[in-house]
Amino acid sequence: MARDIVPAAYWGFIKDPIYGYIRLNDVEKTIIDTLAVQRLRRIRQLAGAEYVYPAANHTRFEHVLGAMYLAGVVTENLPVSLSKDEKQEVRLAALLHDVGHAPFSHLFEPLLVKHLNRTHEDVSTWIIANSALSDVIRTLGFDPKELSELAIGRLVKTDKPFLNQIISSSFDVDKMDFVVRDSYHTGAGYGSVDVFRLIYTMDVVKGNLAADITALPTLESLILARLESFRTIYFHRACRAVQMMLLQALDLAKDDLAILKTKNPDEYLEWDDYTVWSKLCTNPHSREIIKALSERRILKCAYERTFFAKDELLSSVFTKENVRLKLEEEIAAKAHVPTSDVGIDVPSLPSVPYHYAMEIGPISIPIFSRSRSGEKVSQNINELSKIVDVLRVFMNIVRVYTKSQYREHVAAAAAEVLGKSSLSSALSY
Amino acid sequence: MARDIVPAAYWGFIKDPIYGYIRLNDVEKTIIDTLAVQRLRRIRQLAGAEYVYPAANHTRFEHVLGAMYLAGVVTENLPVSLSKDEKQEVRLAALLHDVGHAPFSHLFEPLLVKHLNRTHEDVSTWIIANSALSDVIRTLGFDPKELSELAIGRLVKTDKPFLNQIISSSFDVDKMDFVVRDSYHTGAGYGSVDVFRLIYTMDVVKGNLAADITALPTLESLILARLESFRTIYFHRACRAVQMMLLQALDLAKDDLAILKTKNPDEYLEWDDYTVWSKLCTNPHSREIIKALSERRILKCAYERTFFAKDELLSSVFTKENVRLKLEEEIAAKAHVPTSDVGIDVPSLPSVPYHYAMEIGPISIPIFSRSRSGEKVSQNINELSKIVDVLRVFMNIVRVYTKSQYREHVAAAAAEVLGKSSLSSALSY
Amino acid sequence: MARDIVPAAYWGFIKDPIYGYIRLNDVEKTIIDTLAVQRLRRIRQLAGAEYVYPAANHTRFEHVLGAMYLAGVVTENLPVSLSKDEKQEVRLAALLHDVGHAPFSHLFEPLLVKHLNRTHEDVSTWIIANSALSDVIRTLGFDPKELSELAIGRLVKTDKPFLNQIISSSFDVDKMDFVVRDSYHTGAGYGSVDVFRLIYTMDVVKGNLAADITALPTLESLILARLESFRTIYFHRACRAVQMMLLQALDLAKDDLAILKTKNPDEYLEWDDYTVWSKLCTNPHSREIIKALSERRILKCAYERTFFAKDELLSSVFTKENVRLKLEEEIAAKAHVPTSDVGIDVPSLPSVPYHYAMEIGPISIPIFSRSRSGEKVSQNINELSKIVDVLRVFMNIVRVYTKSQYREHVAAAAAEVLGKSSLSSALSY
Amino acid sequence: MARDIVPAAYWGFIKDPIYGYIRLNDVEKTIIDTLAVQRLRRIRQLAGAEYVYPAANHTRFEHVLGAMYLAGVVTENLPVSLSKDEKQEVRLAALLHDVGHAPFSHLFEPLLVKHLNRTHEDVSTWIIANSALSDVIRTLGFDPKELSELAIGRLVKTDKPFLNQIISSSFDVDKMDFVVRDSYHTGAGYGSVDVFRLIYTMDVVKGNLAADITALPTLESLILARLESFRTIYFHRACRAVQMMLLQALDLAKDDLAILKTKNPDEYLEWDDYTVWSKLCTNPHSREIIKALSERRILKCAYERTFFAKDELLSSVFTKENVRLKLEEEIAAKAHVPTSDVGIDVPSLPSVPYHYAMEIGPISIPIFSRSRSGEKVSQNINELSKIVDVLRVFMNIVRVYTKSQYREHVAAAAAEVLGKSSLSSALSY
């Protein structure tokens, strides 16, 4: 899809605490230095998580560098023939896959969808194909449109679906990087996944990216690390409390946030955590919430329940805004507190970090082994691994948040409305 | 159970790559310097695993120091009242829990049982209560008999069962240490278990050691790390091949191994990896196997099958020696190879490292949460965690090993006898 | 200095990637949740360093938690008698030692001094003794004034100078934490200093904090890690380029930065990296520089020279602003470029991170050993360690920065004015 | 020097805790599986160090794999043209550089020299060129003689001296690997050297391996890590006590050690830590020492003195055996103890691990920078780095060991003979 104008020359390396050194060529250096990529320095990976994990201040910027690095390791090691251009494009796609993220990453997602009618992936496509970045890409000899598709794993014109899957699938470079990186910066102690074993044994079977059966334990540990990360970081009770407050603040201050009315990508790119936060600090509607956060007065979880039955999948029911609103009203009424002070939370909401990566549906990864004749035969992971099967259960959590002073009443009301539950009161930050 | 003759004084620290510093008092230093404990320097934790993980040369010595350290962290943090003596005894029990291990650790287990009619735990008890070590223990003011019971988690005279459980249960200090340590030295990349979260939130409920529900993800990650370790280290195909060869060598040279006829613990303690290996090198019956190992000519796995049905639990059937022998004969006959060159392996065999720690039966750990009134209510982990439930499946692996040149024939014969299977031929060391 | 109103109860723990768990009591939790401490979440530890080390996004917040933790380890292990209150105060002092930092930490230092006539340490004292925080401290039973002194290591009313030295000396908890933490987040690979060996062997000799001679190698490795950090992070050529640009932007936008006119601490605390950055983005004078940074167009080092002669200590000469200005004018004139596009940099400038920690004068740490009679005898580290002696040399670096297009001319002019030098052109980010 | 019979095919990978995965081709796998290399599994890297660092049980086997890996990284990244064969030979040379090590590694060195008139490097050459290994090498298409020279960094027939320097120089792959690896397994906390920065910026200047000036801090940290390792591991007081006891045991049992009379390499290779230790256990002359070690009754350091004056270099004087003997006699006489119970130790003795790597003479490493015209100009590290200059001092330590009961008398006598000194009595294991 690209022409080799001039072969890209080795430029130098960037130090990364996870992989040591990330080596770059001139093309990559040029794209990294665009505003679209540099802006990611001011978009935190896990907005809100720092209230539980103080060191979790890492940004999308180092994540996309890491994803590009892993994409390079994959393409260098896949035992299939790839052109120099294809390899380069996969690396660039990984580098650019997150340029569309809004301030506070996932947290902003519902506002993006509501006001711009776009997911962050749509925005990535939009930016890669239509901004100043597009010109840079074109000058370097690549096709912005195709790169914008590949960056979200939806390159249409290809007979090599595995190229898309390197960027977006159940074991893509995005997930491999964030699981390991989030663990490093939170210190959460999960995520020591041996991604290199996985990569070194990957292959392509019938056009699809497939994992060798000998790496099945590693793959399971990746999936499980994601689950552990989900429970201990992304959907941590206090992290979500902070995120719900930020979300409310954003909603209250929305008239002050020009990003929600942007007509072109270059305007969009002016907004990041820093500029949005400063708006929230001064906006008269959001100011109070920011003040509360600044003294760590956060919402309390009054009610939590995990439903174990697979087929219930309540989480997806609660994803509907009107269902939630209805229940919030009911609980508030019973508890005699303002409706705006009752919030229902479930893991399938778009504002939950990586909620999309915690597939509710069955995970699909081809696992291959070799028959006696040497032929690669693949089965889906679900047929081989029982561990994967238990995952879906963990999506069935429902929580109700409220202000500290209303906790007791809301707890009782929620139990009435949503059924009995038990809550540990063990303290953690 | 002990009198505080003179309170133990701080002696100094030992550097450990896992925990940093292990601080000791005079009593501990004195016991560490006995022959019974020092001998563990020459008993490798995972004999045979180094053929796959070259750096896995760690010994029981550092493991028991680590277990003692963790035992100290547990007793210091449990929110129950413990006397100085109780705390000291738990630390000493952890320190001494493995003194009974034979050369090559678990590998020797079947020979111990067959010839001495003792498991390694029985031997631990025997040594603590009846050797030169006992005198040292007594002089320091402790009761060797009671310590010998506590060291294997079977202290009878106690109203505090949790003391035993710190040493021996589904989340004891032994397992916590070896999972983390084996991962560190193999580099296997599992085992980054946050044991301190687990320990800091432990409590005692109705006399039993219990885990706080907030630590459930951590507990699951401990259990899963054990499973991953099991699959990638303890029951690794090539590790087991080496272990089966060593086992055969031991059996062939048994007349030369006086340890199998020891009448008292002090004779037993003369034997370690070094002295047994040297015997195997020179013994005319075992020499050939050692020569093969010295050039890494190892047995090949001709057949492997995982049975997913829970209720089959074939593994336990295969544990019976006569069942295995019968099937080996049948396969050998069909393959036209000598019976001695066909070996069936299953994870429930006593020679498998930590096979006892991979409980086939349901795991039992009380998980507590607090009711609104502050009372601690506990449930068993099985009721709360689906993950634990899937574990048992992984015990249902059957493998057939043979010499390289017989591989094809034995594979076919085994398939006939044990049913069809698939095997990946992807190479790993 | 404080009364034990109610003994502080254990509250819970915070996860830290460096130390695992930091355990807190109620008093500490209350102070951590004040605005003065929470604000540090938005003050990055190493502003500008992320342009070279993309993952270096850690903040003062986790650093002060780490310093408090280490302070606790020190007071628990020092073999001298300390009251509960003294221990608590040392921990709180470490927690509060950085509350006075301005946005972008050290970078802002010259503006603080110029406009508020205060160093960041003066501001720390000011805030602890005179803000809303003071009231919280007082309510908890502590004396804000005394705590404000101890927090910068200058508690006057004490016969225990070592208490001050735990907070501020050549081997204080501040330095121990930042060396290790900066290394972790940059991935720079230095800083694996065994701080616990140092702490476990510390003692007090004649009222002063002293290191055991057996820990001398560890102490040297701390000092050296600081030096390596200095060269590879704090005074890294490109990091400094970014910092000089930020500094220039701040200076140009100063009329827009109300922090420079604050009359009381609570106004001061409204300013952080987020709010200042947003001002710089919109201020017409600083906007261009921010635009350049957003595309990583950074100043180039045209000239660098290290002077090895100890007695020259040119660095201190260059610290004088008028000397620098004079030389900048001279170089600019010779190079025919605007004076504002020539910048001289030396490591002793207040805007260099931790410049104060890189003592130019002799390092003073008492090292003790024991005479045959058991008496502790101490000598200064300079008498025992040659390594320390070579440190000062590295402060004698002079650099000249300019815009990319002027590089050649400025290089030649600087060589004329400051003497010949050599510069490697090897690329690094 | 070799013919490309058949290009080596990728074979698979070995897991290493330091580098993750070490990838091998068929040629390397074949050589690794020879007895000469496999034997290194039973030669510990740091015999005796485990008495201080219990986890320091790593062997030469994983070290040579690591050295081979690093050699591969160097040859892949050096910006000079190398043939496939040259790259392969450098990897193989690194793999084979330690095959000549005797049991207990360095400890055995004095006996090798005395009885076989060969250093371990001579033995490496001997084995590579004249054993069963040689045939394997020849069959694979390589010249055993040339490989035997390159393996110790003394390939004569080459116009590329840098090939030798990759294997043996002040910054060779041997040192890079052991510094990092010894630190990992001891947990000593030094040695977090960023070897990849060093390697990625290496170049060849006038035929010699040279380091880029931008990597000077890294190079210094390598040199310093070696120094710290030396002080805290290799020449640790208690490690040396154990080593001196082992050395004495070896000397007493020498008639039982056929290795000292071997006429051909294949006989030599029958000996390792396991077989020698077993001999020492049963030999009537060494038995007592082994018994003492088995209960950790070790020699005590009665006297230690560091001489700071560079020009004294007493260490080299003490290296002469007759000088040492003379002084030992004098001290023993004054202390009224048997001469055999007084032992003088200095770091320049061949039995000190890596004593040869701690060059007493000036370190020689070319450091290059680029002139304005792009030309690489190199200077020796001594001209650029003051740090390196202070190293030699640390070789001037003299210690006197004796049995516990003689400590006081020997201390006094040694002070009389060798001058006053001070000794810290702080306890460490």
Side-chain angles (χ1 to χ4, degrees), chain C residues 400-412:
Chain C
V400 181
Y401 284 92
T402 192
K403 285 187 175 158
S404 186
Q405 63 267 37
Y406 302 146
R407 201 174 190 171
E408 284 304 305
H409 289 115
V410 170

Side-chain angles (χ1 to χ4, degrees), chain A residues 309-384:
Chain A
K310 266 188 218 176
D311 27 30
E312 295 192 34
L313 271 182
L314 287 169
S315 195
S316 62
V317 176
F318 285 108
T319 309
K320 293 182 211 309
E321 200 176 356
N322 53 351
V323 172
R324 275 200 328 280
L325 276 175
K326 197 95 212 319
L327 290 164
E328 285 166 0
E329 274 168 28
E330 200 177 331
I331 294 169
K334 274 192 202 298
H336 303 291
V337 305
T339 304
S340 62
D341 286 336
V342 171
I344 290 181
D345 196 26
V346 287
S348 50
L349 290 181
S351 69
V352 175
Y354 309 122
H355 78 280
Y356 63 90
M358 303 300 301
E359 293 89 352
I360 292 181
I363 284 178
S364 164
I365 300 175
I367 307 294
F368 72 94
S369 54
R370 282 169 209 275
S371 65
R372 291 279 162 216
S373 59
E375 199 194 350
K376 284 172 277 182
V377 183
S378 75
Q379 290 173 274
N380 194 347
I381 191 169
N382 289 57
E383 301 171 52
L384 291 169

Side-chain angles (χ1 to χ4, degrees), chain D residues 237 240-241 244 299-301 341-343 345 399-402:
Chain D
R237 214 183 281 162
R240 283 301 290 164
M244 289 175 82
L299 292 180
K300 295 297 171 190
C301 180
D341 287 336
V342 171
D345 197 26
R399 289 192 190 129
V400 181
Y401 284 91
T402 191

Side-chain angles (χ1 to χ4, degrees), chain A residues 105-125:
Chain A
S105 291
H106 296 281
L107 200 59
F108 213 90
E109 200 73 12
L111 287 96
L112 273 193
V113 172
K114 196 166 184 177
H115 298 274
L116 291 185
N117 201 23
R118 284 187 164 98
T119 66
H120 78 272
E121 293 190 315
D122 299 335
V123 180
S124 288
T125 311

Side-chain angles (χ1 to χ4, degrees), chain A residues 189 192 212 220 231 370 423 426, chain B residues 189 192 212 220 231 423 426:
Chain A
S192 75
D212 189 308
E220 290 175 343
R231 293 206 284 169
R370 282 169 209 275
L423 241 196
Chain B
S192 75
D212 189 307
E220 290 174 344
R231 293 205 284 169
L423 241 197

Side-chain angles (χ1 to χ4, degrees), chain C residues 283-339:
Chain C
N283 181 287
H285 306 293
S286 53
R287 211 162 45 190
E288 273 314 296
I289 293 177
I290 298 304
K291 180 95 169 58
L293 280 175
S294 298
E295 295 169 350
R296 212 183 180 283
R297 287 180 278 110
I298 63 177
L299 292 180
K300 295 297 172 192
C301 180
Y303 176 91
E304 174 177 302
R305 190 170 167 197
T306 307
F307 297 89
F308 283 106
K310 267 187 218 176
D311 26 30
E312 295 191 32
L313 273 182
L314 286 169
S315 196
S316 61
V317 175
F318 284 107
T319 310
K320 294 182 211 308
E321 199 176 355
N322 54 349
V323 171
R324 278 203 322 282
L325 277 176
K326 197 95 215 319
L327 290 165
E328 286 168 0
E329 274 168 27
E330 201 178 329
I331 294 169
K334 274 193 202 298
H336 303 290
V337 305
T339 303

Side-chain angles (χ1 to χ4, degrees), chain A residues 274, chain C residues 42-48 60 101-109 246-247 250 272-274 276-278 280 290 351:
Chain A
Y274 284 53
Chain C
R42 289 178 303 281
I43 309 267
R44 298 176 59 247
Q45 183 85 357
L46 298 174
R60 295 274 153 193
H101 260 296
F104 306 140
S105 291
H106 296 280
L107 200 59
F108 213 90
E109 200 73 11
L246 277 171
L247 200 51
L250 290 170
D272 55 35
D273 292 7
Y274 284 53
V276 166
W277 174 267
S278 296
L280 298 184
I290 298 304
S351 68

Side-chain angles (χ1 to χ4, degrees), chain A residues 53 187-194 197 201 212-214 216-218 220-221 224 227-228 231-232 236-237 301-303 308 368-372 374 379 383-387 390 393-394 407-408 411 422-426 428, chain B residues 53 187-194 197 201 212-214 216-218 220-221 224 227-228 231-232 236-237 301-303 308 368-372 374 379 383-387 390 393-394 407-408 411 422-426 428:
Chain A
Y53 299 98
Y190 309 110
S192 75
V193 180
D194 189 352
R197 172 174 288 265
T201 56
D212 189 308
I213 197 167
T214 61
L216 184 57
T218 312
E220 290 175 343
S221 81
L224 283 158
L227 176 62
E228 296 299 319
R231 293 206 284 169
T232 58
H236 185 284
R237 212 181 284 162
C301 179
Y303 176 91
F308 283 107
F368 72 94
S369 54
R370 282 169 209 275
S371 65
R372 291 279 162 216
Q379 290 173 274
E383 301 171 52
L384 291 169
S385 171
K386 298 292 171 194
I387 283 179
V390 304
V393 167
F394 295 95
R407 200 174 190 171
E408 284 304 304
S422 73
L423 241 196
S424 167
S425 61
S428 77
Chain B
Y53 298 97
Y190 309 111
S192 75
V193 180
D194 189 352
R197 171 174 288 265
T201 57
D212 189 307
I213 197 167
T214 61
L216 185 56
T218 312
E220 290 174 344
S221 81
L224 282 158
L227 176 63
E228 297 298 321
R231 293 205 284 169
T232 57
H236 185 282
R237 213 182 282 162
C301 180
Y303 176 91
F308 282 107
F368 71 94
S369 53
R370 282 170 207 274
S371 65
R372 291 277 164 218
Q379 291 172 273
E383 300 172 52
L384 290 168
S385 170
K386 299 291 172 196
I387 283 179
V390 303
V393 166
F394 295 95
R407 202 174 189 171
E408 284 304 306
S422 71
L423 241 197
S424 167
S425 60
S428 78

